[in-house]
Amino acid sequence: MPDLILLFAVSLVANTLSSLAGGGAGLLQLPILLFLGLPFPVALSTHKLASVALGAGATLKHLRAGTLDWRFSAVVLAWGLPGVWLGAQLILAVPERAAMLALAVLTALLGVQSLLQPQLGQQSAPRARHGWQLWLGGAVLFGIGMLNGSLASGTGLFVTLWLIGWFGMDYKQAVAYTLVLVGLFWNGAGAVALALQAGVHWPWVPALLAASVLGGYLGAHWGLARGNRAIKRAFEVITLATACSLFWKAWA
């Protein structure tokens, strides 16, 4: 019971922040699973399964708000899901330290870029929805999907910033797409693929699912209420904190 209470509290904080910033639940949730004794592959698949509930909680809020364009959502899923599946198949062959260091550097760059561009993501200006620009944007989403299938920390943040920088969304829109499409569908596909390889620690799943649904709803509610500037600040804090966490885990 003490483990479950600790797990629920940490996961609720992690998922609320992730839902507000558009990624980063693995910053706190995966380490607590490892701290409580799960092997890395089992912790990763258990975390992925719980992240599906984060997407479900956020989906409830954003469906009511009418935030998503489902035609564009289909594009994100069509490119991202094959990458997620491939990344999940390759996870056991990837050197963990090298992958974490590379992801830490890239994640830190996301936060720095956002800090250096005060107007980034403050206004919506849709673009790159046709021709070669759409294909290139989709190819990058495929690559991020591979990272999502093989690693737990920070990949939603990559999707959020790519939707802003390439497709012209503001932070509020990009976070909504990330939470619903990455949180619910990408993580769902990754959870199934990883569970088939490593298994899931089922006794802890109910506490994780409850924290994820509640955190997803709360973060989405606060994000819609506070606006783009608050979401941008949360994104920057989470990206830099995630990068520090990845550096620490890679060298520990």
Side-chain angles (χ1 to χ4, degrees):
M1 185 58 67
D3 285 352
L4 287 176
I5 293 173
L6 175 63
L7 194 61
F8 177 83
V10 172
S11 296
L12 179 61
V13 172
N15 286 288
T16 301
L17 292 174
S18 175
S19 181
L20 179 61
L27 170 64
L28 295 175
Q29 189 165 272
L30 182 63
I32 195 64
L33 291 172
L34 295 171
F35 173 77
L36 292 174
L38 294 187
F40 179 78
V42 179
L44 182 58
S45 60
T46 304
H47 161 69
K48 286 289 186 187
L49 180 62
S51 297
V52 176
L54 168 63
T59 299
L60 293 174
K61 186 64 180 178
H62 286 295
L63 283 178
R64 292 175 59 188
T67 317
L68 304 180
D69 175 355
W70 290 106
R71 291 182 62 185
F72 183 72
S73 298
V75 172
V76 176
L77 293 177
W79 281 99
L81 287 176
V84 172
W85 182 87
L86 181 59
Q89 305 308 309
L90 297 176
I91 177 58
L92 298 179
V94 176
E96 185 180 335
R97 174 173 291 183
M100 283 189 176
L101 284 174
L103 190 59
V105 172
L106 292 173
T107 305
L109 291 175
L110 294 184
V112 171
Q113 179 183 359
S114 184
L115 282 168
L116 294 177
Q117 295 181 272
Q119 297 307 311
L120 182 67
Q122 299 305 294
Q123 300 291 332
S124 175
R127 57 179 179 270
R129 307 298 172 93
H130 305 284
W132 69 268
Q133 292 179 320
L134 179 62
W135 283 90
L136 179 56
V140 172
L141 289 172
F142 176 84
I144 299 173
M146 288 184 61
L147 289 175
N148 180 272
S150 58
L151 296 168
S153 297
T155 52
L157 301 170
F158 282 74
V159 176
T160 298
L161 199 61
W162 185 243
L163 292 176
I164 293 168
W166 187 256
F167 290 107
M169 294 185 183
D170 61 27
Y171 267 98
K172 190 182 294 187
Q173 292 173 325
V175 167
Y177 277 90
T178 298
L179 291 175
V180 175
L181 303 180
V182 176
L184 191 59
F185 294 99
W186 287 26
N187 285 343
V192 171
L194 288 168
L196 292 175
Q197 297 182 79
V200 173
H201 190 67
W202 292 105
W204 291 350
V205 167
L208 290 169
L209 292 180
S212 295
V213 171
L214 182 57
Y217 188 89
L218 288 174
H221 172 77
W222 289 337
L224 289 170
R226 297 297 299 274
N228 287 315
R229 190 163 299 281
I231 298 173
K232 185 175 186 291
R233 291 291 173 258
F235 175 88
E236 290 159 359
V237 170
I238 293 295
T239 50
L240 295 175
T242 299
C244 292
S245 174
L246 287 167
F247 277 121
W248 182 83
K249 284 188 286 187
W251 291 111

